[in-house]
Amino acid sequence: MFGNPEQMAQAMRQFADMLSAPQGSGPVNWDMAKNIARHAVVAQGDPSVMEGERRQIVEALELADLWLNEATTLPSGVSNPQAWSRSEWIENTIPVWRKLAEPIAERMVETMGGALGGSGLPPEAQQMAGPLMGMLKQMGGMMVGQQIGQALGSLAREVIGTTDIGLPLSGTAALLPGGIASFSDGLEHPAEEIRLYLALREAAHHRLFQHVPWLRGHLLGAVEEYARGITVDTSALEEQIRGLDINNPEALQEALSGGALLKPEETERQKAALARLETMLALVEGWVSTVVDQAAAGKLPSAAALAENVRRRRATGGPAELTFGTLVGLELRPRRLREAAALWQALESARGVDGRDALWGHPDLMPTADDLTHPEVFVAGETAWDISQLDSKPDDEQGEDGRS
């Protein structure tokens, strides 16, 4: 029972974290999830950022931000550039992950509590088992929190900055020296060019997230809405844990850690929401690719090769990103990145940089999935938009295509 002191100590820490969760703190003990994530990255090696590394990254972000002034009309979004260790990335992004993951985590905890406690008991028996049910739900929260922590720890070993998955995980532009080193492994390009290219992408994302007021809420809200509509397959969960001894933590953990439990069925409404989200992620990534390529032209000889590496990385994702996709309830994939980039480039050719970037002024102006399929129709549309009329223009004066 006490054969492995390290595992015993870890189990005791997790149990203490579970008991320390304040009442009403939500379905998941996020302090425990954060601790598990940090222990995971420390176990694999997470050195502090050295002063020289910090200075290189700050200078790269500042220079990249200057280059972007020539490629977009959106103002700078980099005010306090930073270099983070993996542990610091976890610490600074956990509030957004909590917002994204909690809707699906709540459903999983409720389902686990009902299945483990025998939701089919008569009302009298359920009333008597009330305290036990509360404890079982707390155990379910611990299990989900442990999975989230492990996935976050794995993801932290892969990320480069705060915008890798296309969502604004932090209001601060930051890069991870460890992430840059992992990305650079096997590439034969100069380290300075790689660092500067990745800084361009980070800074370009922050221009969007800082100066397009509706974008952050639109993306995060879409993920939350999708997660809230998820229904967990209770019969599959009950089948997996039927006959388990709740006094056997190892068997319980093995049953609840399977990815199948965290792959809920999608309704048609959820599929439509996912399609809209993927379109917006593609538009964000396509715009970033367009302005970064333009800013790097003539300055970074390896920009084209690095752009292709990034596209492949975003299109496939790493195993940790896929794992966390199951926890949030979806995979964040800009599946139509190339089409979106081509559309932005065509818009720039037809309307100029000002006309291209003006579309970010309101969500109703943004291209749709159909526009990605038929970009020539969208590009040939009106070139002048009066944003002030969006909310006041009568319905009978709207254009034939339905845009106000």
Side-chain angles (χ1 to χ4, degrees), residues 79-237:
S79 58
N80 182 27
Q82 296 183 16
W84 288 344
S85 66
R86 294 182 171 99
S87 295
E88 288 172 324
W89 180 88
I90 292 171
E91 187 74 33
N92 286 290
T93 63
I94 201 79
V96 175
W97 288 120
R98 177 171 184 167
K99 189 175 183 181
L100 293 173
E102 202 144 87
I104 183 61
E106 183 175 1
R107 278 159 180 75
M108 290 303 301
V109 169
E110 289 294 326
T111 305
M112 287 178 185
L116 291 172
S119 56
L121 293 175
E124 298 81 3
Q126 288 189 10
Q127 185 175 4
M128 294 177 61
L132 176 60
M133 292 291 292
M135 182 181 298
L136 291 173
K137 286 184 179 180
Q138 195 172 21
M139 288 178 62
M142 181 185 71
M143 298 300 182
V144 174
Q146 184 176 26
Q147 289 183 285
I148 291 176
Q150 290 170 345
L152 264 180
S154 297
L155 188 58
R157 293 196 293 271
E158 297 179 3
V159 294
I160 297 169
T162 67
T163 58
D164 292 54
I165 63 171
L167 296 177
L169 298 179
S170 172
T172 300
L175 294 175
L176 284 68
I180 296 175
S182 297
F183 176 85
S184 304
D185 188 30
L187 300 181
E188 298 180 354
H189 308 296
E192 183 179 359
E193 289 192 25
I194 296 175
R195 183 168 55 247
L196 193 47
Y197 183 83
L198 296 175
L200 279 168
R201 288 184 51 80
E202 178 79 2
H205 275 101
H206 278 273
R207 290 203 178 210
L208 275 182
F209 296 142
Q210 296 289 341
H211 298 292
V212 178
W214 56 267
L215 182 58
R216 178 184 176 90
H218 186 85
L219 285 171
L220 298 182
V223 177
E224 289 182 75
E225 179 183 0
Y226 178 91
R228 285 197 191 96
I230 287 174
T231 56
V232 178
D233 187 352
T234 56
S235 61
L237 177 62

Side-chain angles (χ1 to χ4, degrees), residues 45-362:
D46 183 32
S48 299
V49 178
M50 305 298 290
E51 177 58 26
E53 294 174 321
R54 187 199 68 80
R55 186 168 57 251
Q56 287 177 336
I57 285 177
V58 169
E59 290 175 353
L61 285 167
E62 290 175 342
L63 180 57
D65 206 39
L66 287 175
W67 287 2
L68 287 170
N69 289 335
E70 304 172 3
T72 175
T73 60
L74 294 180
S76 170
V78 178
S79 58
N80 182 27
Q82 296 183 16
W84 288 344
S85 66
R86 294 182 171 99
S87 295
E88 288 172 324
W89 180 88
I90 292 171
E91 187 74 33
N92 286 290
T93 63
I94 201 79
V96 175
W97 288 120
R98 177 171 184 167
K99 189 175 183 181
L100 293 173
E102 202 144 87
I104 183 61
E106 183 175 1
R107 278 159 180 75
M108 290 303 301
V109 169
E110 289 294 326
T111 305
M112 287 178 185
L116 291 172
S119 56
L121 293 175
E124 298 81 3
Q126 288 189 10
Q127 185 175 4
M128 294 177 61
L132 176 60
M133 292 291 292
M135 182 181 298
L136 291 173
K137 286 184 179 180
Q138 195 172 21
M139 288 178 62
M142 181 185 71
M143 298 300 182
V144 174
Q146 184 176 26
Q147 289 183 285
I148 291 176
Q150 290 170 345
L152 264 180
S154 297
L155 188 58
R157 293 196 293 271
E158 297 179 3
V159 294
I160 297 169
T162 67
T163 58
D164 292 54
I165 63 171
L167 296 177
L169 298 179
S170 172
T172 300
L175 294 175
L176 284 68
I180 296 175
S182 297
F183 176 85
S184 304
D185 188 30
L187 300 181
E188 298 180 354
H189 308 296
E192 183 179 359
E193 289 192 25
I194 296 175
R195 183 168 55 247
L196 193 47
Y197 183 83
L198 296 175
L200 279 168
R201 288 184 51 80
E202 178 79 2
H205 275 101
H206 278 273
R207 290 203 178 210
L208 275 182
F209 296 142
Q210 296 289 341
H211 298 292
V212 178
W214 56 267
L215 182 58
R216 178 184 176 90
H218 186 85
L219 285 171
L220 298 182
V223 177
E224 289 182 75
E225 179 183 0
Y226 178 91
R228 285 197 191 96
I230 287 174
T231 56
V232 178
D233 187 352
T234 56
S235 61
L237 177 62
E238 290 173 355
E239 178 67 25
Q240 187 154 352
I241 65 176
R242 183 175 294 127
L244 281 179
D245 181 4
I246 65 173
N247 294 314
N248 186 342
E250 290 185 2
L252 189 61
Q253 172 63 24
E254 183 179 355
L256 297 180
S257 63
L261 299 183
L262 299 174
K263 293 179 181 177
E265 291 186 27
E266 294 178 357
T267 64
E268 290 303 316
R269 180 178 178 182
Q270 296 310 103
K271 291 178 181 178
L274 179 58
R276 291 193 298 271
L277 179 61
E278 287 181 341
T279 298
M280 184 55 66
L281 287 172
L283 290 171
V284 169
E285 288 295 315
W287 183 89
V288 167
S289 297
T290 299
V291 299
V292 166
D293 289 348
Q294 184 174 337
K299 302 183 182 74
L300 291 180
S302 57
L306 291 171
E308 186 59 32
N309 285 329
V310 170
R311 275 193 288 268
R312 286 200 300 266
R313 188 175 188 269
R314 282 295 284 126
T316 58
E321 186 175 342
L322 295 174
T323 299
F324 205 89
T326 64
L327 295 177
V328 177
L330 75 164
E331 296 174 7
L332 300 173
R333 288 283 178 274
R335 300 184 188 277
R336 307 187 68 182
L337 171 57
R338 293 184 185 274
E339 293 97 321
L343 176 59
W344 288 117
Q345 292 163 8
L347 283 168
E348 181 181 335
S349 298
R351 307 182 187 182
V353 172
D354 289 353
R356 179 200 68 192
D357 292 350
L359 295 183
W360 291 107
H362 195 282

